């Protein structure tokens, strides 16, 4: 652009020297040596504007904008309208002269060509090209320039010109017809540079997809691109352009798979490369075939189907590469899907049926071979074809499933039966994909009875592995449409319930002849019942069986009750997908669990062993997720109906809604025996949606507050504190909440002051603080400061330090998003910002006996921060973390190592400044009896800071090699080997 000074100074724009001289003679201004300089100046007014403004045009990215050379006369009296009109006229005329000038220069000496191409490239980006000029430029390049004799940069410029013109002058180029395609073929033919090939491949793809005329040059266009297939390119080291082999492969594949017109030339090439010995060529060919199948039709594939099937079958049967096998199966899936999409006329052969007949003919007999060598490859081929469409799946499944069922009954070995059942499972999973299209035509319905018989027999087989496959198959079968009768009773689910219900806690036959315990067999049967409970009809059959197992506790132990609860929880999670199943499960299971627990609480007073069993912490803890999962996904109306019954049970002992209402004595929920059941109350009320009103909520909160502060049973007090905190988290803001919290704070401060229940008061403080921190309540800062102050307490300090993990971690049973708690985003980052400076300050001010508490609390906070935040903030706390490694507390050591790990990996430049301290601390930990994973891995810092420590570390790691723990010895061997190799070539 013009910046003042003499008008005769030359300037260089993109390699083209342009004179700024303007010649004005008399009343006319003419181009200043346009033929020789490439610069054009045109008048903007009448003859009197000799000293007026002038406009200079030169090739460049600013070509669309005129350069104004101001004069003393302003605009020479022109109106805005005439000024704009003349400007537009000047623009077109100037660009036209420049284009003609550069086209003529293409005929000059070859040394001029690069500069001319740069000028044309600038002009190709101009928005004011007159119609026909873009076509004229490309014609001139096609006729006058031998592109492949130019340097790489100039060839790239030619491709850029073509790209720009295709983007802005598409209709004009299409007017050239096939001449443009032929011209580009001449330009690209022989290109070798990968940078240019990426652009050239994109141009070819645009030619095809944008509808340019290929005419008689389809084969030539294919040849000029397919000569690069398969891509064989290794990028040079330190390549600034970062072009990878995969980039070229993907770009070329997009060209070859862009049009069906290439099919007659491409498919023979792909078959040839699939038969080669190079694995890379096989992979590229198979992936390209898969891409082509998305646009090809029956017409393009018909001639080559036998050869393609032969090559794909060979790759699956004979290949030693899992990747080649996977790509061959994907290509077969694509072929079958392509044939499935074809629209058939009355006189057209159904190629899909004939193709699948060939696949079945070549694979089916392998399924019947006694040695079963090619069973899995054949099954994989059949499943790949069957998964392509509903028609393909029906054709293959109806032929293969009866054969597999027959083979299952013929083979007696469990390993062979497991192989056959796993193949059956694959076909069942395919039915999940296509079964919804037409239930009445399901290929499995005709084999319903023998299939169920096979699966039920697998569940009672002595082989554990066969049982597991049978459970998975029944799980899939229960989700298929058409397998549940109109009455709601599922054939698969009902059969499995009947077949497995005999294996409850009462009558479990030991079929392993001493090789398996009764408990393990019972647990697998319970898992099977839960696995098949995926349909409402099945749930109504299996849930009563599981509840019956739960009621028969006199002949079961705590581990058996826990196993039943785990199965019930799995069923509850599966029922959450269906509103009908969810409500049935809730109104069946929750009252039953409460009834069993209430009866156990009453029997405990009579010192009954049943009561003691069901009130054990392990059993109640297993019941909590069952109740929570059954309540979390209820609609508000049904949840309100249920809460109106459960809350009076705990406040008033109202047991009328329980299935067994003949209890020996009144239920006193907040007494010693019934207090443990607060855990079930917590699981229920804390899982409800926030918009469900809880009756007598204030009274309930007062009872929970009193129980949590006065109960001497830690389990009961903690459950009451968690329930109180869960309700406080969802309590609407306002004066009532403030009064409630003030009462709670007073109770907590009184409990923390003195007495035997300080631990219970601390638990309440921690859970209430967490509830308020999650919802950003203002009182959370006051409670957090109270916790920070308690870190210096000799008695409660260690428990408070561990409590910081509770504040930052996700709780599994309360105060998480799954139970609809009020959890604000980034609460951990906010807690870190507000409290870590106080922790650091308290550490420096604390006495020697309690410093470890501050380090433990800090490490818990850091361990639960998101990693990006942790890496950013750790350098400022590094000195404290290094000191924490010397803390005798094992938890502090492990937590600190977990904090340092991301910093070692992602900020080695920071850690290298402390390499001496780190190596010393780590080596000290290798001899710590409490450290299981003590031997440090190689330090990811630059080599020079580490090499001086190599002998010292190797000597120190010799001692852990004799450690009693196998894991320590294993880690020591790995770490010592890495240090031995430190500094060696190639490391």
């Amino acid at each position: 652009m013009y910046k003042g000074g003499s008008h005769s100074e030359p300037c260089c724009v993109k390699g083209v020297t342009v004179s700024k001289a303007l010649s004005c003679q008399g009343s006319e201004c003419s181009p200043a040596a346009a033929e020789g300089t490439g610069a054009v100046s045109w008048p903007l007014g009448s003859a009197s504007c000799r000293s007026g403004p002038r406009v200079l045009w030169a090739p460049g990215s600013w070509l669309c904008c005129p350069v104004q050379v101001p004069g003393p006369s302003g605009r020479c009296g022109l109106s805005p309208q005439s000024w704009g009109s003349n400007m537009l006229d000047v623009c077109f005329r100037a660009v036209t002269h420049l284009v003609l000038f550069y086209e003529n220069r293409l005929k000059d000496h070859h040394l001029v060509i690069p500069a001319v191409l740069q000028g044309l490239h600038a002009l190709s980006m101009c928005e004011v090209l007159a119609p026909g000029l873009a076509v004229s430029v490309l014609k001139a390049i096609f006729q006058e320039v031998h592109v492949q004799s130019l340097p790489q940069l100039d060839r790239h410029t030619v491709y850029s010109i073509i790209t720009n013109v295709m983007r802005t002058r598409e209709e004009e180029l299409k007017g050239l017809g096939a001449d443009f395609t032929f011209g580009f073929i001449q330009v690209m033919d022989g290109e070798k540079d990968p940078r240019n090939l990426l652009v050239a491949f994109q141009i070819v793809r645009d030619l095809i997809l944008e509808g340019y005329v290929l005419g008689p040059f389809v084969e030539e266009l294919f040849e000029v691109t397919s000569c690069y297939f398969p891509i064989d390119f290794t990028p040079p080291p330190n390549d600034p352009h970062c072009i990878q082999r995969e980039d070229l492969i993907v770009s070329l594949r997009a060209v070859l798979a862009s049009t069906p017109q290439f099919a007659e030339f491409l498919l023979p090439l792909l078959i040839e490369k699939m038969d080669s010995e190079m694995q890379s060529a096989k992979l590229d060919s198979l992936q390209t075939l898969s891409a082509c199948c998305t646009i090809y039709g029956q017409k393009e594939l018909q001639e080559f189907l036998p050869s393609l099937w032969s090559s794909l079958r060979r790759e699956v049967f004979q290949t030693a590469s899992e990747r080649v096998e996977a790509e061959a199966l994907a290509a077969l899936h694509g072929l079958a899907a392509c044939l499935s999409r074809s629209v058939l006329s009355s006189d057209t052969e159904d190629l899909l049926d004939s193709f699948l007949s060939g696949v079945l003919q070549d694979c089916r007999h392998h399924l019947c071979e006694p040695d079963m060598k090619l069973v899995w490859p054949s099954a994989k081929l059949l499943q790949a074809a069957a998964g392509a469409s509903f028609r393909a799946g029906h054709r293959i499944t109806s032929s293969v499933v009866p054969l597999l069922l027959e083979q299952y009954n013929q083979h007696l070995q469990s390993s062979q039966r497991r192989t056959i059942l796993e193949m059956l499972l694959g076909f069942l999973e395919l039915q999940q994909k296509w079964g919804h299209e037409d239930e009445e035509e399901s290929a499995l319905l005709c084999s319903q009875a023998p299939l169920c018989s096979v699966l039920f027999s697998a569940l009672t087989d002595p082989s554990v592995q066969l049982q597991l496959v049978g459970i998975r198959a029944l799980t899939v079968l229960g989700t298929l449409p058409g397998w549940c009768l109109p009455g709601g009773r599922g054939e698969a689910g009902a059969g499995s319930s009947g077949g497995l219900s005999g294996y409850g806690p009462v009558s479990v036959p030991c079929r392993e002849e001493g090789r398996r315990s009764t408990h393990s067999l019972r647990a697998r049967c319970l898992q099977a019942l839960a696995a098949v409970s995926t349909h409402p009809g099945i749930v109504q059959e299996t849930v009563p069986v599981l509840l019956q197992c739960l009621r028969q506790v006199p002949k079961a132990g705590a581990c058996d009750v826990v196993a039943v609860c785990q199965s019930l929880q799995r069923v509850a999670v599966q029922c959450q997908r269906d509103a009908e199943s969810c409500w049935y499960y809730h109104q069946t299971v929750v009252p039953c669990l409460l009834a069993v627990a209430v009866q156990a609480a009453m029997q405990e007073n009579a010192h009954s062993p049943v009561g003691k069993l069901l009130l054990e912490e392990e059993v109640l803890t297993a019941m909590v997720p069952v109740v929570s999962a059954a309540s979390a996904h209820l609609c508000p109306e049904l949840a309100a109906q249920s809460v109106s019954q459960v809350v009076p049970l705990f406040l008033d002992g109202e047991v009328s809604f329980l299935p067994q209402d003949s209890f020996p004595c009144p239920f006193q929920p907040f007494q010693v025996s019934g207090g443990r059941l607060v855990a079930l109350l917590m699981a229920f009320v804390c899982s409800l949606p926030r918009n469900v009103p809880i009756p007598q909520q204030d009274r309930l909160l007062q009872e929970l507050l009193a129980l949590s502060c006065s109960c001497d049973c830690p389990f009961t007090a903690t459950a009451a504190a968690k329930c109180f905190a869960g309700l406080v988290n969802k309590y609407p803001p306002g004066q009532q909440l403030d009064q409630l919290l003030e009462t709670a704070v007073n109770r907590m401060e009184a409990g923390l002051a003195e007495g035997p229940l300080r631990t219970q008061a601390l638990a309440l403080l921690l859970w209430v603080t967490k509830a308020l921190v999650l919802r950003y309540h203002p009182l959370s800062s006051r409670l957090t400061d109270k916790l920070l102050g308690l870190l210096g307490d000799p008695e409660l300090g260690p428990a408070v330090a561990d409590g910081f993990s509770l504040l930052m971690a996700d709780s599994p049973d309360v105060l998480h998003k799954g139970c609809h708690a009020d959890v604000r985003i980034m609460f951990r980052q906010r807690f870190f910002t507000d409290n870590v400076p106080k922790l650091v300050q308290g550490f420096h001010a604390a006495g020697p006996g309690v410093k470890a508490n501050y380090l433990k609390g800090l490490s818990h906070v850091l361990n639960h921060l998101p990693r990006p935040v942790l890496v950013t903030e750790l350098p400022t706390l590094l000195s404290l973390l290094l000191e924490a490694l010397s803390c005798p507390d094992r938890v502090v050591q492990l937590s600190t190592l977990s904090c340092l790990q991301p910093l070692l990996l992602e900020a080695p430049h920071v850690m290298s400044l402390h390499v001496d301290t780190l190596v010393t601390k780590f080596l000290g930990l290798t001899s710590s009896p409490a450290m299981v994973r003590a031997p440090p891995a190689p330090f990811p810092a630059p080599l020079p800071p580490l090499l001086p420590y190599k002998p010292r570390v190797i000597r120190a790691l010799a001692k852990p090699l004799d450690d009693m723990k196998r894991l320590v010895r294993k880690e020591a061997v790995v770490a010592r080997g890495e240090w031995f190799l430190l500094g060696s070539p190639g490391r």
Side-chain angles (χ1 to χ4, degrees):
M1 296 179 63
Y2 177 72
K3 297 183 179 179
S6 172
H7 295 328
S8 61
E9 295 176 358
C11 71
C12 184
V13 181
K14 296 191 176 180
V16 182
T17 303
V18 182
S19 172
K20 293 183 179 179
L22 304 174
S23 73
C24 296
Q25 299 178 359
S27 60
E28 297 180 357
C29 285
S30 60
E35 287 289 332
T37 65
V40 182
S41 176
W42 294 99
L44 297 182
S46 61
S48 61
C49 62
R50 176 182 301 273
S51 301
R54 304 182 179 95
V55 178
L56 177 67
W57 298 96
S61 59
W62 42 270
L63 191 59
C64 302
C65 304
V67 179
Q68 181 173 323
V69 183
S73 302
R75 295 188 177 180
C76 305
L78 292 178
S79 66
Q81 292 80 4
S82 60
W83 172 272
S85 176
N86 286 333
M87 286 281 289
L88 187 61
D89 181 57
V90 166
C91 190
F92 279 106
R93 293 164 60 191
V95 172
T96 302
H97 278 269
L98 282 174
V99 170
L100 296 177
F101 167 72
Y102 282 125
E103 287 181 4
N104 290 329
R105 298 288 72 74
L106 290 174
K107 303 175 183 179
D108 289 352
H109 193 272
H110 66 87
L111 295 178
V112 181
I113 299 300
V116 175
L117 291 175
Q118 291 290 339
L120 289 174
H121 177 258
L123 287 166
S124 69
M125 295 185 291
C126 181
E127 298 179 359
V128 292
L129 280 177
L133 284 181
V135 174
S136 176
V137 168
L138 293 187
K139 281 185 176 180
I141 292 176
F142 293 160
Q143 294 173 4
E144 306 296 341
V145 182
H146 185 253
V147 176
Q148 291 305 316
S149 65
L150 299 176
Q152 179 272 328
L153 182 61
D154 297 327
R155 301 200 306 274
H156 191 276
T157 303
V158 173
Y159 294 127
S160 299
I161 293 172
I162 296 174
T163 301
N164 293 337
V165 175
M166 290 179 68
R167 186 177 64 250
T168 59
R169 297 292 188 273
E170 179 179 335
E171 295 303 323
E172 295 181 26
L173 284 183
K174 288 182 177 179
L176 287 176
D179 292 342
F180 174 60
T181 303
F182 179 71
F184 177 73
I185 292 173
Q186 290 180 310
V187 168
M188 183 183 173
D189 191 13
E191 182 60 62
K192 296 180 180 179
D193 190 272
R195 293 166 289 182
N196 293 345
L197 283 175
L198 287 177
V199 184
F201 289 156
Q202 184 60 45
I203 292 175
V204 176
R205 188 167 183 267
D206 292 341
L207 272 174
I208 296 170
L209 297 182
E210 300 300 331
Y212 286 83
V213 178
L214 304 184
F217 304 113
V218 174
E219 185 174 2
E220 286 77 5
L221 186 61
F222 172 78
E223 291 294 337
V224 82
T225 53
S226 64
C227 62
Y228 301 100
F229 183 87
I231 295 289
D232 183 14
F233 169 68
T234 302
N238 303 321
D239 179 17
H241 303 283
C242 300
I243 297 177
Q244 302 298 319
R245 177 173 176 269
E246 189 64 27
D247 300 329
L248 293 169
I249 290 175
V250 172
S251 185
L252 177 58
R253 185 179 302 145
V255 173
L256 298 178
S258 60
T259 174
Q261 298 181 69
F262 285 168
E264 61 178 309
F265 316 113
L266 177 60
L267 291 177
L269 176 63
L270 295 180
I271 295 172
E272 175 188 347
K273 298 302 179 183
M274 278 191 281
D275 296 340
S276 70
E277 297 299 326
M278 293 179 58
Q279 181 173 326
S280 60
K282 290 178 181 289
L283 288 172
D284 205 355
S285 301
L286 292 169
Q287 292 169 351
T288 304
L289 177 59
S290 298
C292 291
C293 288
T294 60
I295 65 165
Y296 285 2
Q298 180 171 298
K299 174 184 175 183
E300 287 77 20
L301 294 174
Q302 182 172 7
E303 179 184 352
F304 305 99
L305 278 177
S307 300
L308 288 171
W309 163 240
S310 177
S311 298
L312 295 175
R313 180 187 59 200
R314 184 184 62 255
E315 294 306 326
V316 176
F317 279 166
Q318 301 178 7
T319 186
S321 169
E322 292 183 1
R323 189 178 177 191
V324 172
E325 177 186 310
E327 294 297 342
L329 294 174
L332 176 60
H333 180 278
L335 280 176
C338 179
L339 297 176
S340 301
R341 291 192 302 267
S342 301
V343 179
L344 303 178
S345 59
S346 57
D347 56 345
T348 304
E349 178 188 1
D350 186 1
L351 280 185
L352 175 65
D353 187 69
S354 59
F355 178 70
L356 294 179
S357 297
V359 173
L360 286 167
Q361 180 180 356
D362 291 340
C363 296
R364 200 172 184 271
H365 65 279
H366 291 302
L367 303 178
C368 304
E369 294 177 351
D371 55 4
M372 303 182 73
K373 287 185 177 179
L374 295 177
V375 163
W376 265 120
S378 300
K380 290 178 180 178
L381 288 168
L382 292 169
Q383 289 171 6
S389 66
F390 174 74
R391 277 205 300 150
H394 187 276
R395 176 75 171 84
I396 292 179
T397 303
S398 59
S399 175
V400 173
V401 168
L403 178 63
L404 291 178
L405 294 174
E406 178 184 344
Q407 292 299 309
Y408 181 92
N409 293 321
Q410 290 180 1
H411 289 83
L412 301 179
Q413 295 183 10
S414 296
S415 59
Q416 295 175 330
R417 285 190 164 190
R418 178 166 63 89
T419 300
I420 296 172
L421 199 56
E422 286 175 343
M423 290 187 289
L424 268 173
L425 176 60
F427 287 102
L428 293 179
E429 290 172 341
L430 290 177
Q431 291 297 307
Q432 283 184 308
K433 183 178 181 181
W434 306 114
H436 65 278
E437 295 200 4
D438 194 340
E439 297 181 12
E440 295 182 357
E441 294 186 10
S442 175
L444 295 177
L445 288 180
C446 58
S447 304
Q448 191 174 38
L451 180 57
C452 289
S453 175
V454 164
L455 296 182
F456 299 150
S457 68
L459 295 178
T460 57
D461 192 89
S463 171
V464 176
Q465 297 300 323
L466 183 57
Q467 288 183 16
L468 294 177
V469 179
I471 290 173
R472 291 166 54 198
L474 274 175
T475 303
V476 175
L477 202 62
T479 64
L480 297 181
W483 286 76
C484 291
L485 300 180
R489 177 183 174 89
E491 285 292 321
S496 63
S497 300
L500 297 173
S501 59
Y503 296 96
V506 178
S507 57
V508 181
C510 185
R511 303 175 61 108
E512 288 291 315
E513 298 178 355
R515 291 187 295 123
R516 186 189 310 160
S517 68
T518 301
H519 167 69
S520 60
L521 180 58
R522 182 186 300 118
R524 278 189 291 276
C525 293
L526 293 172
Q527 293 170 6
L529 282 174
V532 299
S533 302
T534 56
H535 188 277
I538 303 174
V539 170
Q540 294 177 22
E541 296 290 337
T542 57
V543 165
V545 176
L546 292 172
L547 293 178
Q548 182 65 23
C549 296
L550 183 66
R551 294 189 186 99
Q552 295 171 338
V553 289
K555 299 188 179 180
C559 56
D560 296 313
V561 180
V562 170
V564 175
C565 291
Q566 290 173 346
S567 297
L568 284 171
Q569 181 190 0
R570 179 172 180 180
V571 177
V573 173
Q574 293 169 173
C575 288
Q576 291 174 354
R577 308 167 191 165
D578 180 74
E580 176 187 351
S581 298
C582 186
W583 176 238
Y584 167 80
Y585 182 91
H586 178 84
Q587 67 178 357
T588 304
V589 174
V590 173
C592 179
L593 286 180
L594 291 175
V596 171
V598 167
Q599 188 175 24
M602 295 179 178
Q603 291 176 350
E604 188 188 39
N605 297 330
H607 304 288
S608 169
V610 177
K612 293 181 179 180
L613 175 66
L614 287 178
L615 294 180
E616 289 182 7
E617 293 182 15
E618 181 184 6
V619 174
L620 288 174
T621 302
M623 289 183 179
V624 165
V626 179
V627 178
S628 180
S631 308
H633 289 263
L634 291 177
C635 65
E637 295 77 15
L638 297 178
Q641 176 183 339
S642 184
V643 76
S644 64
Q645 297 174 331
V646 174
V647 171
L649 169 67
F650 285 86
L651 288 179
D652 305 313
E654 179 58 53
V655 296
S656 59
F657 78 101
L658 297 180
Q660 181 183 351
D661 57 359
S662 57
F663 296 99
C665 59
F667 176 53
Q668 298 176 341
F670 291 103
Q671 299 302 318
V672 176
S673 58
R676 286 175 171 264
L677 303 191
V678 173
L680 301 183
L681 173 67
M682 173 204 69
F684 177 76
V685 297
C686 293
S687 300
L688 298 176
R690 274 181 271 176
N691 58 350
V692 176
I694 297 178
Q696 306 182 69
Q697 184 173 8
D698 292 333
R699 178 188 169 194
L700 179 62
L701 286 168
Q702 293 297 334
E703 293 283 357
L704 292 170
L705 180 60
L707 183 64
S708 63
C709 293
S710 61
C711 183
D712 57 357
C713 174
F715 178 82
T716 302
T718 301
K722 292 163 72 173
C723 188
F724 180 86
L727 294 176
V728 165
N729 176 262
K730 300 178 185 179
Y731 203 101
Q735 185 177 3
Q736 287 185 332
L737 176 60
D738 296 338
Q739 294 175 353
L740 175 66
L741 291 176
E742 191 64 28
T743 303
V745 170
N746 293 335
R747 292 290 296 266
M748 287 185 288
E749 289 178 348
L752 291 169
E754 57 183 359
L757 301 178
R758 297 186 71 199
T759 304
Q760 286 83 335
L762 175 61
L764 177 63
L765 174 61
L766 286 170
W767 283 104
V768 173
T769 304
K770 181 179 180 68
L772 299 182
V773 166
L774 292 179
R775 61 179 290 178
Y776 288 175
H777 193 278
L779 187 62
S780 61
S781 300
R782 175 182 167 187
L783 298 184
T784 306
D785 291 341
K786 181 67 176 176
L787 289 173
L788 292 172
L790 288 173
L791 285 172
D793 188 292
E795 179 186 352
L796 296 179
V800 174
D802 290 331
F804 279 87
S805 175
L806 184 150
L807 295 178
M808 298 292 288
D810 290 326
S811 175
D813 50 4
V814 71
L815 292 178
H816 58 86
K817 291 185 178 179
C819 63
H820 311 286
D822 187 0
V823 180
R824 305 297 178 88
I825 61 173
M826 301 179 68
F827 76 91
R828 293 184 177 89
Q829 290 89 320
R830 179 172 177 175
F831 187 90
F832 171 88
T833 304
D834 292 343
N835 297 291
V836 165
K838 299 177 184 178
L839 276 171
V840 175
Q841 182 181 0
F843 169 83
H844 291 300
V850 295
K851 280 185 177 290
N853 298 335
Y854 291 88
L855 291 176
K856 185 187 292 188
L858 176 64
S859 63
H860 284 316
V861 173
L862 295 178
N863 260 322
H864 291 92
L865 276 181
R867 174 161 287 194
V869 180
L870 180 62
V871 173
T872 304
E873 299 293 340
L874 270 183
T876 60
L877 302 171
L878 190 56
S879 59
L880 276 181
L881 293 176
L882 294 177
E883 186 169 347
L885 290 176
S886 303
C887 180
D889 192 308
R890 177 175 176 268
V891 176
V892 175
Q893 292 174 346
L894 290 175
S895 182
T896 304
L897 288 175
S898 300
C899 292
L900 289 175
Q901 183 183 9
L903 201 60
L904 287 169
L905 297 175
E906 301 181 23
H909 59 283
V910 176
M911 304 303 288
S912 61
L913 302 176
H914 305 273
V915 63
D916 185 79
T917 305
L918 285 168
V919 171
T920 303
K921 299 283 188 182
F922 287 166
L923 292 180
L925 292 176
T926 60
S927 59
S928 171
M931 299 301 292
V932 177
R933 301 191 63 183
F939 191 79
L943 285 181
L946 284 181
L947 287 176
Y949 301 93
K950 181 177 178 181
R952 175 186 170 190
V953 173
I954 292 175
R955 286 195 304 271
L957 289 177
K959 183 177 179 181
L961 294 176
D962 297 326
D963 195 272
M964 296 178 60
K965 300 186 179 103
R966 184 187 64 84
L967 183 57
V968 172
R969 297 195 300 272
K970 177 182 176 182
E971 293 289 338
V973 168
V974 174
R976 203 162 185 255
E978 292 290 343
W979 277 88
F980 264 119
L981 297 175
L982 187 67
S984 60
R987 299 292 293 180

